[in-house]
């Protein structure tokens, strides 16, 4: 069982870990095997919301160490999600003109972004690299690179938001080039720690990124050292309104990717029923099941689920 990354909006104004945030994770990390801490901004230009958790500065390492400690003391593996919002950054929050692969309004973006030039690529790579080093210094067991939900790396993969004609655009090979470069940098920074990638596997939009392309990206990600593929939605976001009410609404994407890679694959989407979650594993459809909102509503969801399943299979 995985606690997937969920922005709590409990951090301080500069992205600091707060006591409220520690309590939030302390309550929700017992019983789950893996906690992926919410998306944390790797640089001020990549900040998405006012109370977003940050990993952009060395001064934040002490607070992050307290966070990783709490999760690990509860017995879970602690991973932190690294994110750059790209064209989805809010100009009032990042105090900047957001950057993106192309000068095109990103779905759910606030303003038409500025197209990235050579030095932006260097800056973003450096920010990812340094953020990953901070995660290790803060005692995390690994990091997850955020490549879903319409944020920067997802903007590169999607033909809707990436209209570049240079080596970072065009064919799938071009569109995946920068996300792969980020992963290579992050791998170097984290050494043998866990490296996960949240892959937005379907834009669910006409002319958008598709699961067939996602399969090819996943294979490449694994080739260059990703340990776990965490499958979610692309430009459509993690909770498309039209799919709400369907239990396991993104499982089919994870299942398809799982057929093509040798590493564990996480499935997610509207899961509330422990027996449904258990069956996904028993039937081998996915390797790990993430349960998000049910944990927000009931922090004890996983402990109760394990008890229910054990009683059912071993009365
Ligand atoms: C309040 C909230 C914040 C979220 N923040 C993130 C995030 O920081 N990073 C991410 O990849 N997904 C985020 N998600 C998506 C979840 O990780 C998850 O994929 C989604 O909620 C579907 O799972 P569920 O139906 O079990 O909640 C968020 C979801 C919610 C409800």
């Amino acid at each position: 069982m995985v606690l997937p990354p969920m922005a709590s909006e409990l951090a301080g104004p500069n992205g600091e870990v707060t006591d409220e945030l520690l309590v939030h994770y302390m309550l929700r990390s017992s019983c789950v095997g893996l906690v992926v801490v919410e998306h944390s901004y790797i640089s001020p230009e990549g900040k998405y919301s006012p109370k977003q958790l940050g990993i952009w500065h060395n001064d934040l390492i002490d607070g992050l160490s307290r966070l990783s400690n709490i999760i690990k003391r509860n017995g879970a593996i602690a991973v932190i999600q690294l994110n750059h919002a790209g064209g989805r950054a809010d100009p009032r929050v990042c105090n900047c003109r957001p950057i993106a692969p192309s000068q095109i309004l990103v779905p759910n973006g606030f303003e038409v972004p500025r197209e990235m030039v050579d030095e932006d690529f260097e800056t973003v790579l450096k920010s990812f690299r340094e953020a990953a080093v901070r995660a290790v210094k803060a005692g995390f067991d690994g990091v997850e690179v955020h490549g879903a939900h319409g944020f920067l790396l997802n903007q590169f993969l999607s033909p809707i938001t990436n209209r570049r004609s240079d080596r970072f655009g065009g064919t799938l090979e071009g569109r995946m080039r920068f996300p792969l470069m980020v992963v290579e940098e992050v791998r170097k920074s984290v050494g043998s720690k866990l490296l996960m990638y949240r892959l937005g596997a379907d834009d669910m939009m006409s002319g958008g990124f598709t699961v067939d392309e996602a399969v090819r990206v996943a294979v490449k990600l694994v080739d260059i050292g990703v340990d776990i593929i965490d499958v979610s939605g692309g430009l459509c976001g993690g909770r498309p309104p039209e799919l709400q009410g369907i239990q396991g609404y993104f499982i089919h994407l994870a299942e398809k990717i799982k057929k093509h890679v040798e590493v564990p694959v996480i499935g997610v989407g509207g899961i509330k029923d422990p027996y449904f979650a258990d069956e996904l594993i028993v039937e081998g459809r996915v390797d790990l099941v993430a349960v998000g909102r049910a944990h927000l509503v009931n922090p004890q969801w996983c402990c109760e689920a394990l008890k229910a399943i054990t009683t059912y299979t071993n009365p």
Side-chain angles (χ1 to χ4, degrees), residues 248-265:
Y249 56 80
F250 280 148
I251 294 295
H252 63 288
L253 302 175
E255 201 175 0
K256 182 147 190 185
I257 287 170
K258 181 173 159 53
K259 292 196 174 89
H260 299 268
V261 295
E262 297 289 324
V263 302
V265 172

Side-chain angles (χ1 to χ4, degrees), residues 9-171:
E9 300 299 335
L10 292 173
N14 292 312
E16 305 92 338
V17 168
T18 60
D19 288 346
E20 292 93 317
L21 192 127
L22 291 174
V23 171
H24 177 86
Y25 281 93
M26 189 176 69
L27 293 175
R28 290 173 177 81
S29 51
S30 42
C31 299
V32 292
L34 168 64
V35 172
V36 184
V37 167
E38 63 202 81
H39 72 153
S40 306
Y41 63 103
I42 58 161
S43 65
E45 300 72 39
K47 185 171 183 179
Y48 176 64
S49 61
K51 290 185 171 182
Q52 189 183 355
L53 184 60
I55 191 162
W56 63 280
H57 197 280
N58 289 342
D59 289 351
L60 300 167
I61 295 175
D62 281 352
L64 291 167
S65 304
R66 293 170 67 204
L67 178 56
S68 74
N69 250 319
I70 279 187
I71 296 168
K72 293 199 291 188
R73 271 213 308 269
N74 266 345
I77 293 170
V79 165
I80 186 163
Q81 192 182 48
L82 309 180
N83 194 25
H84 190 300
R88 278 197 75 193
D90 180 343
R92 291 161 304 179
V93 172
C94 70
N95 284 318
C96 66
R97 172 129 187 245
I99 54 166
S102 302
Q103 201 167 319
I104 290 169
L105 186 65
V106 174
N108 299 314
F110 296 90
E111 176 180 307
V112 174
R114 172 173 71 74
E115 180 169 309
M116 283 171 67
V117 296
D118 285 354
E119 63 194 59
D120 296 313
F121 285 86
E122 285 308 315
T123 308
V124 174
L125 281 175
K126 182 167 178 274
S127 301
F128 267 106
R129 185 166 64 230
E130 292 179 351
V133 169
R134 287 182 200 111
V136 174
K137 284 193 177 152
F140 281 95
D141 297 303
V143 298
E144 177 172 89
V145 174
H146 199 348
H149 308 164
F151 293 113
L152 182 66
L153 300 186
N154 193 173
Q155 290 157 26
F156 270 92
L157 282 183
S158 176
I160 294 177
T161 43
N162 184 347
R163 307 277 177 83
R164 300 182 72 94
S165 53
D166 62 4
R167 66 194 188 107
F168 294 109
T171 61

Side-chain angles (χ1 to χ4, degrees), residues 4-7 39 81 146 149 198 238-239 249 268-270 291-293:
M6 284 182 291
H39 72 153
Q81 192 182 48
H146 199 348
H149 308 164
R198 195 155 220 207
R239 292 162 279 159
Y249 56 80
V268 73
V291 173
R293 284 165 292 179

Side-chain angles (χ1 to χ4, degrees), residues 163-208:
R163 307 277 177 83
R164 300 182 72 94
S165 53
D166 62 4
R167 66 194 188 107
F168 294 109
T171 61
L172 179 62
E173 202 184 4
R175 282 179 278 126
M176 73 166 105
R177 191 180 311 277
F178 188 59
L180 294 181
M181 283 168 72
V182 167
V183 167
E184 279 172 342
E185 286 298 315
V186 171
R187 172 44 90 203
K188 281 187 229 152
S189 298
V190 300
S192 59
K193 302 266 179 202
L194 264 182
L195 172 52
M196 302 173 50
Y197 194 92
R198 195 155 220 207
L199 179 57
D202 191 349
D203 283 344
M204 291 178 53
M205 289 173 191
S206 159

